Amino acid sequence: MAVRAPAKNDCSCEQTSLHLHAEIENLKQKLLERESHIVNMETNFLCEAEKFPHGEYAALTDEILIWQDKYSRLLESHKRVQRVNQSLEDKLLLLVDKTESEKNVLNSEITIISQKLVDQQFQLNQLNDENERYKNDLNIAIQLLQCKPSHFVSQKYDNLPSEIQSKVRSYIFSKQRRMSDGNGNIAQKSEGKTIKVPIPTFPPTAMVYSLSNVSKGINY
């Protein structure tokens, strides 16, 4: 029994030694990882130090100042654009009001002109109707004159319009000049002469006058 006791102690020692050895290896591995992490941190620190030679705080302060300057300029530009937009909006509102006023005036004028046009068209239709009625009456009168001229009173020279009197007088003068003997004496003829004076009617017609009676009533 005294001989077997040391064997158990040896097994326990060996197990403890293996466990410690594994623990040591594990600690060595963690130590290597920590050292690698420290090296990476040192490398990053050196890179940041090169990137920010005056320190990261100073670099961040400079960057903040730059962004503040950009913000101030953008804010000033925004205010300037806002003032311009307000001015343009006021001008646009004035233009809209002016255009609306002109539109109302034009609409009123169009309404007045349209009403006048309707009235003028109505008057024109009335005049056309009257013209057509007068034309029909004139045609009937001319037909009556042409069919039965003896039933109507003959026109006298003094009662003729001035235009027709002038035509008759011119015709008589021209006839007398052709009939004169060169010394201013007019050759006497026993037979009477008649002329036809056209009257501007529709359809065309003419009135017949005696020259012998008319020439006596004209003073030369």
Side-chain angles (χ1 to χ4, degrees), residues 12 17 41 53 61 70 120 135 145 147 166 168 188 193 210:
S12 298
S17 177
M41 290 180 65
T61 303
K70 289 182 179 180
Q120 294 295 328
K135 183 178 177 181
L145 287 172
C147 293
S166 176
V168 173
Q188 298 293 329
K193 296 291 184 180
S210 175

Side-chain angles (χ1 to χ4, degrees), residues 2-119:
V3 177
R4 293 178 181 178
K8 291 181 179 180
N9 291 331
D10 292 338
C11 291
S12 298
C13 290
E14 289 178 358
Q15 291 178 356
T16 302
S17 177
L18 291 174
H19 180 71
L20 291 174
H21 183 72
E23 187 69 23
I24 290 170
E25 292 294 332
N26 189 16
L27 290 174
K28 286 181 179 180
Q29 184 66 29
K30 289 182 178 181
L31 181 61
L32 291 174
E33 291 177 356
R34 293 296 179 182
E35 288 178 353
S36 177
H37 182 66
I38 291 171
V39 171
N40 291 331
M41 290 180 65
E42 289 177 352
T43 303
N44 292 331
F45 179 76
L46 292 175
C47 292
E48 292 294 330
E50 292 177 356
K51 185 176 180 181
F52 304 105
H54 300 291
E56 187 176 1
Y57 176 77
L60 292 175
T61 303
D62 294 338
E63 188 174 359
I64 289 173
L65 292 176
I66 292 172
W67 282 106
Q68 284 180 347
D69 182 63
K70 289 182 179 180
Y71 174 77
S72 299
R73 286 183 292 175
L74 288 174
L75 182 62
E76 185 65 26
S77 298
H78 174 71
K79 291 180 180 179
R80 184 168 58 253
V81 171
Q82 192 173 11
R83 288 194 297 270
V84 172
N85 288 338
Q86 185 65 36
S87 177
L88 291 175
E89 185 177 357
D90 294 338
K91 290 181 180 179
L92 182 61
L93 291 176
L94 290 175
L95 182 61
V96 169
D97 293 338
K98 182 179 178 181
T99 305
E100 191 68 24
S101 300
E102 292 178 353
K103 179 182 177 182
N104 294 331
V105 172
L106 289 175
N107 287 333
S108 301
E109 292 180 355
I110 289 173
T111 302
I112 294 172
I113 293 174
S114 299
Q115 185 63 37
K116 289 182 178 180
L117 183 61
V118 171
D119 295 339

Side-chain angles (χ1 to χ4, degrees), residues 134-153:
Y134 292 152
K135 183 178 177 181
N136 294 331
D137 294 342
L138 183 60
N139 289 333
I140 293 173
I142 291 172
Q143 290 176 4
L144 292 174
L145 287 172
Q146 290 176 346
C147 293
K148 297 180 179 180
S150 60
H151 290 186
F152 301 93
V153 179

Side-chain angles (χ1 to χ4, degrees), residues 112-130:
I112 294 172
I113 293 174
S114 299
Q115 185 63 37
K116 289 182 178 180
L117 183 61
V118 171
D119 295 339
Q120 294 295 328
Q121 186 66 35
F122 179 73
Q123 293 180 2
L124 180 62
N125 293 333
Q126 286 184 336
L127 291 175
N128 288 331
D129 294 339
E130 291 180 0

